[in-house]
């Protein structure tokens, strides 16, 4: 199981909750996607982990199998609709169904919009927004045939007020929110529920790096716990719930939405962030010229 999972690997859900079901998790090999894949497998689903990096998903699928779960891996760039359709058809042919799709694959980086190249803009919009649409559209015929399904897409909270240096990602995630509501309405008659989750801060490698102070000067012994201390201080100040999130926090919401407990929930965007966005200070000011 991933080191970022909640301290206890015990699930709050009942054993076998998703037994017999098939879930496809894009970007399922690392971070939040891995946490989601692990929990769905723990609850009895067969999980197909899909991402561009074969090594990530193969290793993660093996670790789930080693822990007693059922998982397989597919190499997939969600920007390629033909490949998306091919992978979905393969899963449906091999497993007979797809009950849950988690649109988790995402790309992101901080960059000034002024100098964002067309390809940089396109990359993030295509991975996040087009990828979510292509995967959702591809599983629809399978879900229709089997009488329904659940789609959960990973969004964010930064577009609620805007966030400098993230025009591409905030635009893509706002698009995901719009898609969630629109497809929820269009696809409800077929029993397909479409929801999104907006996660708060989860300490990924990039976040840890951002909290790591520059190397100590003049031969001073570096404080190896500096990043942890800075992160703890951020949690105390900025996250009303008092701690950083874990992939398990997000996975729990996916499992809830995928379970019968979520039966009457569609078109919803669930914020899972310990209250961070409500309490957030205004976005950082850009320097005036
Ligand atoms: C400016 C950048 C850049 C940067 C890449 N580009 N990084 N421009 N600043 N820091 C530009 C490149 O120069 C290139 O444009 C274009 O983006 C495409 O880059 P490639 O590396 O060729 O593309 P690709 O291999 O498709 O990579 C996609 C990617 C990459 C998004 C750029 O970062 C990626 O694969 N990321 C996946 C992992 C990831 O980002 N995970 C974060 C998800 S978390 P040119 O013009 O030179 O060709 C998340 C939640 C965020 O989304 C919450 C935040 C708080």
């Amino acid at each position: 199981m991933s080191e970022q999972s909640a301290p206890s690997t015990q699930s709050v859900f009942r054993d076998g909750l998703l037994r017999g079901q098939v879930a496809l998790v894009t970007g399922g090999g690392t971070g939040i996607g891995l946490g989601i894949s692990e929990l769905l497998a723990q609850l009895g689903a067969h999980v197909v982990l899909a991402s561009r990096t074969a090594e990530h998903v193969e290793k993660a699928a093996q670790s789930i199998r080693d822990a007693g779960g059922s998982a397989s891996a597919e190499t997939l760039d969600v920007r390629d609709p033909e490949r998306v359709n091919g992978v979905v058809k393969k899963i449906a042919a091999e497993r007979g169904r797809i009950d849950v799709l988690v649109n988790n694959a995402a790309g992101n980086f901080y960059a000034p919009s002024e100098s964002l190249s067309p390809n940089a803009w396109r990359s993030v919009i295509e991975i996040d927004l087009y990828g979510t649409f292509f995967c959702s559209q591809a599983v629809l015929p399978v879900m229709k045939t089997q009488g329904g399904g659940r789609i959960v897409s990973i969004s964010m909270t930064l577009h609620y007020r805007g966030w400098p240096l993230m025009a591409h990602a905030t635009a893509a995630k706002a698009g995901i929110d719009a898609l969630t509501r629109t497809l929820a309405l269009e696809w409800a008659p077929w029993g397909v529920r479409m929801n999104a989750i907006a996660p708060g801060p989860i300490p990924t490698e990039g976040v840890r790096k951002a909290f790591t102070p520059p190397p100590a000067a003049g031969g001073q012994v570096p404080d190896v716990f500096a990043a942890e201390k800075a992160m703890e201080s951020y949690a105390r100040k900025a996250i009303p719930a008092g701690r950083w999130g874990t992939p398990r926090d997000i996975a729990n919401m996916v499992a809830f939405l995928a379970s019968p407990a979520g039966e009457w929930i569609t078109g919803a965007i669930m914020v899972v962030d310990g209250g961070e966005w409500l309490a957030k200070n205004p976005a950082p000011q850009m320097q005036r010229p």
Side-chain angles (χ1 to χ4, degrees):
M1 299 284 156
S2 78
E3 59 174 45
Q4 283 175 12
S5 293
S8 164
T9 53
Q10 288 240 307
S11 163
V12 297
F13 298 96
R14 76 166 161 78
D15 282 351
L17 181 67
L18 303 176
R19 189 162 295 136
Q21 301 198 15
V22 176
L24 168 60
V25 182
T26 67
T30 53
I32 294 175
L34 176 56
I36 294 168
S37 300
E38 288 175 342
L39 180 59
L40 299 184
Q42 195 179 339
L43 297 175
H46 174 84
V47 184
V48 183
L49 294 80
S51 100
R52 276 185 292 168
T53 318
E55 195 196 330
H56 286 162
V57 276
E58 276 160 16
K59 199 170 143 216
Q62 185 60 52
S63 82
I64 289 174
R65 290 194 295 270
D66 291 344
S70 176
S72 51
E74 291 291 342
T75 310
L76 174 66
D77 187 336
V78 296
R79 292 173 284 193
D80 176 353
E82 274 181 34
R83 176 73 187 142
V84 168
N85 278 311
V87 166
V88 164
K89 283 197 175 118
K90 181 174 174 228
I91 300 167
E94 283 174 2
R95 303 265 157 200
R97 52 192 305 113
I98 300 176
D99 299 279
V100 181
L101 163 68
V102 184
N103 288 308
N104 166 77
N108 195 14
F109 50 82
Y110 278 97
S113 315
E114 187 185 14
S115 57
L116 205 57
S117 74
N119 194 35
W121 167 262
R122 194 180 300 119
S123 292
V124 172
I125 299 285
E126 285 193 351
I127 297 170
D128 295 14
L129 180 57
Y130 287 27
T132 294
F133 181 69
F134 292 152
C135 293
S136 303
Q137 194 186 42
V139 298
L140 180 66
V142 183
M143 290 185 172
K144 272 171 80 172
T145 307
Q146 71 199 16
R150 284 88 70 203
I151 301 175
V152 182
S153 304
I154 302 301
S155 183
M156 61 161 51
T157 61
L158 298 184
H159 55 290
Y160 296 172
R161 284 190 295 200
W163 205 249
L165 310 182
M166 240 190 238
H168 44 355
T170 51
K173 297 290 188 176
I176 289 175
D177 289 359
L179 259 187
T180 299
R181 296 188 176 111
T182 296
L183 300 187
L185 295 175
E186 267 191 49
W187 296 354
W190 297 310
V192 175
R193 292 194 285 106
M194 182 94 194
N195 294 295
I197 299 173
I202 313 279
T204 55
E205 235 172 83
V207 169
R208 277 179 206 283
K209 219 185 213 169
F211 276 81
T212 304
Q220 276 180 312
V221 181
D223 179 358
V224 289
F225 297 113
E228 299 303 321
K229 284 182 199 157
M231 286 171 65
E232 253 179 61
S233 153
Y234 178 82
R236 272 198 305 276
K237 275 193 295 213
I239 308 173
R243 69 163 174 87
W244 286 74
T246 65
R248 181 56 67 101
D249 288 314
I250 309 308
N252 280 338
M253 180 54 81
V254 173
F256 172 81
L257 291 169
S259 79
E263 214 168 64
W264 212 45
I265 303 175
T266 196
I269 294 147
M270 319 293 271
V271 176
V272 180
D273 74 339
E276 192 221 22
W277 108 259
L278 278 176
K280 211 181 219 67
N281 291 324
Q285 291 280 318
M286 296 298 288
Q287 270 194 327
R288 299 202 173 278

